[in-house]
Amino acid sequence: MMSPQQVEGMIKAQLPDAQVQVQDLTGGGDHYQVTVVSSQFANKGLVQQHQLVYGALQQAMSSEAIHALALKTYTPEAWQATN
């Protein structure tokens, strides 16, 4: 089981400029929806963006501390355009 703060910290360790929103979908600490906004996503496709986030969470996912992850990634420009 992981807290949303732990998930956020792992992502920010890999992507220091990231704005991260973490929502526990079930209350059990292993199913999360995560939104990440980072300039490091610039000029990268969606798969590459997701790979960066999965890389940050690899240990938690391989140990099944995180069982399910719904992921949304944005560059700062794309995030502004959606809001």
Side-chain angles (χ1 to χ4, degrees):
M1 178 192 294
M2 297 191 70
S3 72
Q5 295 80 13
Q6 288 173 305
V7 174
E8 180 179 348
M10 292 175 80
I11 294 169
K12 285 187 172 185
Q14 195 78 8
L15 302 166
D17 76 320
Q19 298 173 23
V20 182
Q21 297 174 351
V22 182
Q23 180 182 4
D24 186 342
L25 295 176
T26 63
D30 63 350
H31 289 70
Y32 287 103
Q33 177 173 302
V34 179
T35 302
V36 183
V37 180
S38 173
S39 62
Q40 293 187 45
F41 296 150
N43 301 315
K44 290 184 173 45
L46 191 59
V47 170
Q48 291 173 309
Q49 293 175 17
H50 286 203
Q51 286 173 334
L52 286 172
V53 178
Y54 281 122
L57 299 173
Q58 181 178 7
Q59 182 179 5
M61 295 195 71
S62 65
S63 69
E64 295 190 14
I66 297 175
H67 180 72
L69 183 68
L71 185 56
K72 296 178 184 177
T73 56
Y74 300 91
T75 62
E77 296 78 17
W79 179 248
Q80 279 194 323
T82 64
N83 290 316

